[in-house]
Amino acid sequence: MNSLSTSASSNSSASSSTSWFSGIVRGRLDKSSSLKMAGSSSSGGGLASNNEGPIKGKNQFRGVLFKYGPKSIQVAFKTGDYKQQVIFIGGLTDGFLATDYLEPLAIALDNEKWSLVQLLMSSSYSGYGTSSLEQDAMEIDQLISYLINKENSEGVVLLGHSTGCQDIVHYMRTNAACSRAVRAAILQAPVSDREYRATLPETAAMIDLATSMIKEGRGSDLMPKEADPSPITAYRYNSLCAYMGDDDMFSSDLNEHQLRMRLGHMSSTPCQVIFSMDDEYVPEYVDKKALVERLCRAMGGAEKVQIEYGNHSLSNRVQEAVQAVIDFVKREGPKGWDDPWS
């Protein structure tokens, strides 16, 4: 069983009044304090300064476990005590320690004075079927607000894995106040749930059923257990499996206009797409090289990283995954720190 070494967060949080972002969120940005903060470097304290590092042992992370929202599931875990954070957003069924690269990534980020934050949302583990991208976006915004107001965050980078990529795209479309704290976005394994599920024999009939239930006003009702291993509503099933459903962002059969409509707003945020060239959730008929080119183009020229022979979670290419993320964070993260609100 994975173990977490935690410490209390209430006393480690600095005063929120000194954060630029908290000033905006509360509507009382002080320009002079912004300029003062711009000159200060993000130095680590607490957990990092005692040289213990973010990893205690295999699958043992050292850091702070904290609540960022009112729901019992709204818990996050932060390694390192820095003012710049990479927020990892997992895919369907994911929770803490979702991918093998998180452990070495936490170490690499710590070396660069960045914290790694893993969060649980209403959609984590088996909750995805009764949640939505809209709900995820609200909870991501609550987490960023917490980091701004309680941890004096100077900005975040969002790292999405699998369906977590859809969360990032949807969240950035909301233009929520805290989304302005997002300095960059990384999409690791942005693949089509619809195209993968279309390879399963039960999907076509279940899409028809979900569509009928939605038309009858029963979109929040649960589908039969044959539809999915977890309880899933007609709405979420349709969102994941139907053509142009809310989750349908990365399908190879979407035309250029459809991709731009779904992804084009990401052009205002520095983006990196990490695509696994042996992703088991991408059907064999899909031209992966062409697809990743089209996705990056639709996002206004996102950086493309193709990892040869990499599987969906990059468990077989961990070091390549970590290097790609670190290179991008070091290059894009600090850019424009002086005052993103101006």
Side-chain angles (χ1 to χ4, degrees):
M1 181 176 180
N2 297 333
S3 63
L4 299 175
S5 178
T6 65
S7 62
S9 62
S10 59
N11 294 327
S12 64
S13 299
S15 170
S16 60
S17 62
T18 58
S19 168
W20 314 322
F21 298 123
S22 62
I24 278 292
V25 171
R26 296 195 196 90
R28 58 172 191 260
L29 176 64
D30 183 277
K31 186 66 177 177
S32 62
S33 65
S34 295
L35 296 174
K36 182 178 180 181
M37 282 294 290
S40 64
S41 62
S42 299
S43 60
L47 298 171
S49 63
N50 59 14
N51 296 320
E52 288 184 326
I55 302 300
K56 182 179 179 181
K58 180 65 176 176
N59 291 330
Q60 294 181 322
F61 284 61
R62 180 183 287 112
V64 177
L65 187 70
F66 62 92
K67 279 186 61 64
Y68 67 89
K71 297 180 180 178
S72 59
I73 191 65
Q74 287 184 279
V75 174
F77 185 79
K78 178 168 72 77
T79 59
D81 192 18
Y82 305 107
K83 296 188 187 298
Q84 299 167 181
Q85 300 90 16
V86 171
I87 299 174
F88 176 82
I89 303 168
L92 303 184
T93 74
D94 285 340
F96 287 144
L97 314 187
T99 65
D100 289 350
Y101 62 72
L102 288 177
E103 187 174 309
L105 179 61
I107 296 171
L109 288 171
D110 193 77
N111 290 337
E112 301 297 333
K113 311 303 184 194
W114 282 74
S115 290
L116 174 65
V117 177
Q118 304 173 55
L119 82 158
L120 297 183
M121 302 182 288
S122 297
S123 62
S124 296
Y125 301 118
S126 61
Y128 63 88
T130 53
S131 190
S132 64
L133 294 179
E134 183 177 3
Q135 181 66 39
D136 286 352
M138 290 174 56
E139 295 180 10
I140 291 168
D141 198 60
Q142 285 179 295
L143 172 63
I144 298 175
S145 177
Y146 177 95
L147 294 173
I148 291 168
N149 291 306
K150 302 296 186 182
E151 302 287 339
N152 295 304
S153 175
E154 294 179 357
V156 303
V157 171
L158 301 181
L159 167 57
H161 163 65
S162 193
T163 309
C165 298
Q166 282 119 270
D167 281 334
I168 292 175
V169 172
H170 186 84
Y171 175 65
M172 296 308 293
R173 183 183 289 279
T174 67
N175 202 29
C178 292
S179 68
R180 298 180 66 183
V182 176
R183 314 304 293 157
I186 302 169
L187 308 184
Q188 187 267 306
V191 302
S192 170
D193 289 283
R194 171 170 67 84
E195 287 187 317
Y196 170 71
R197 297 218 179 199
T199 66
L200 306 179
E202 71 276 7
T203 300
M206 289 298 168
I207 291 175
D208 290 341
L209 175 59
T211 302
S212 298
M213 291 173 66
I214 292 169
K215 287 180 179 178
E216 295 168 2
R218 298 192 294 124
S220 60
D221 287 1
L222 294 178
M223 295 281 290
K225 63 181 181 179
E226 294 79 17
D228 196 90
S230 296
I232 190 167
T233 65
Y235 161 76
R236 192 68 202 269
Y237 192 88
N238 182 271
S239 178
L240 288 166
C241 302
Y243 177 73
M244 292 296 283
D246 288 344
D247 277 272
D248 191 12
M249 301 180 185
F250 310 120
S251 296
S252 63
D253 60 352
L254 297 180
N255 62 37
E256 303 303 314
H257 174 71
Q258 290 169 324
L259 286 176
R260 283 196 303 272
M261 290 294 292
R262 302 241 151 174
L263 305 175
H265 62 284
M266 298 299 292
S267 62
S268 60
T269 304
C271 290
Q272 180 189 61
V273 175
I274 303 176
F275 207 90
S276 300
M277 302 310 287
D278 200 19
D279 194 314
E280 63 270 29
Y281 290 102
V282 178
E284 290 186 4
Y285 66 81
V286 174
D287 184 335
K288 298 181 182 70
K289 289 186 177 180
L291 176 59
V292 69
E293 288 278 359
R294 296 178 65 224
L295 295 179
C296 290
R297 188 165 58 247
M299 288 189 283
E303 178 181 302
K304 174 185 65 176
V305 177
Q306 297 177 169
I307 298 187
E308 296 298 328
Y309 308 110
N311 61 22
H312 186 63
S313 66
L314 291 176
S315 61
N316 64 339
R317 291 292 185 273
V318 167
Q319 291 306 318
E320 290 179 55
V322 172
Q323 194 62 52
V325 171
I326 290 296
D327 287 347
F328 183 73
V329 168
K330 289 171 65 176
R331 188 169 61 253
E332 298 292 346
K335 197 175 294 183
W337 277 144
D338 49 357
D339 189 357
W341 303 116
S342 61

